[in-house]
Amino acid sequence: MKWTKFYLPDAYSPTMEQLVYFHDHTMSIIISITILICILLNSLLWNKLIDLNMNEHQMIETWWTILPTIVLFLIAIPSLKILYSMEELINPTISIKSMGHQWYWSYEYSDKFCKELESYMKYNKKNDFRLLEVDNKMKAPFLTQIRMIFSSSDVLHSWTIPCLGIKMDAVPGRINQSSLMIKKPG
């Protein structure tokens, strides 16, 4: 395994691109805080100077409260923007209903033409991805706004495609929906 495999998968949708940018933004904040704490701990360990007036300063306590609040806002505002954009449905061209069953998924395309298919997992072969390969793959057009509708017939199921930045739970007796736009074919 190479060190480049430790990062997020390539983004195939605008949502995943925003999630990758948010990840980089948050990691830069966390790394800068970690470096600052290491520098402060290092100076505390090696510095023998004592300032008795430091105990009476109210200003430093004020800054110790204000700076973490600002950092939390720097993380929360982009996070909320991404969260709201993920839940937004923008005039879908096609709707795909995905129903979770005990050992398979069934898909129904019902907008322009009625087509149903069932997707079962394949058994392990040498070139297949374990527990990911199926006999009938769901096909979706790219550069098209898609509405995905999820439900389940028996138990909880989780439907996810990491490179598209989508993960929804299929709950029996409940309908969940999500918006999806694929930017690249594949």
Side-chain angles (χ1 to χ4, degrees):
M1 178 176 261
K2 297 181 182 177
W3 66 272
T4 56
K5 298 289 183 185
F6 289 117
Y7 196 60
L8 298 170
D10 292 337
Y12 280 74
S13 71
T15 303
M16 188 61 186
E17 287 175 357
Q18 290 178 352
L19 289 172
V20 169
Y21 292 144
F22 176 70
H23 173 266
D24 294 344
H25 169 72
T26 307
M27 287 304 293
S28 65
I29 291 173
I30 291 172
I31 289 171
S32 62
I33 289 172
T34 305
I35 290 171
L36 178 68
I37 295 296
C38 288
I39 290 171
L40 291 176
L41 282 175
N42 190 24
S43 69
L44 183 67
L45 288 175
W46 298 108
N47 194 355
K48 301 295 183 204
L49 300 174
I50 298 174
D51 186 7
L52 295 177
N53 292 329
M54 192 71 145
N55 293 336
E56 299 299 324
H57 284 293
Q58 305 288 315
M59 187 59 83
I60 196 162
E61 291 181 9
T62 305
W63 282 107
W64 281 344
T65 307
I66 292 174
L67 285 179
T69 306
I70 292 171
V71 168
L72 286 176
F73 275 112
L74 287 175
I75 294 173
I77 290 174
S79 172
L80 289 174
K81 279 177 59 178
I82 293 171
L83 193 64
Y84 282 119
S85 71
M86 288 173 69
E87 293 295 323
E88 186 177 40
L89 285 174
I90 307 167
N91 291 333
T93 307
I94 187 170
S95 294
I96 302 173
K97 181 181 174 187
S98 177
M99 181 75 83
H101 300 281
Q102 188 71 28
W103 290 104
Y104 65 98
W105 287 89
S106 63
Y107 300 101
E108 179 182 329
Y109 302 84
S110 59
D111 281 339
K112 296 184 171 55
F113 55 91
C114 190
K115 181 180 178 185
E116 294 183 22
L117 62 104
E118 293 178 346
S119 181
Y120 291 91
M121 278 191 303
K122 284 185 181 178
Y123 291 109
N124 289 342
K125 291 184 182 175
K126 200 169 196 175
N127 296 330
D128 288 345
F129 289 111
R130 185 174 181 270
L131 299 177
L132 292 177
E133 291 293 328
V134 293
D135 56 356
N136 292 325
K137 295 181 181 180
M138 183 194 86
K139 294 175 177 60
F142 70 100
L143 297 177
T144 304
Q145 197 67 34
I146 303 168
R147 174 180 41 206
M148 293 290 301
I149 301 171
F150 303 98
S151 189
S152 174
S153 64
D154 44 20
V155 295
L156 295 175
H157 295 279
S158 182
W159 193 91
T160 181
I161 301 178
C163 62
L164 295 178
I166 183 171
K167 181 196 174 297
M168 288 297 288
D169 293 327
V171 182
R174 184 176 198 171
I175 294 177
N176 291 333
Q177 70 178 357
S178 180
S179 178
L180 176 66
M181 188 174 104
I182 305 169
K183 287 181 72 174
K184 301 175 189 173

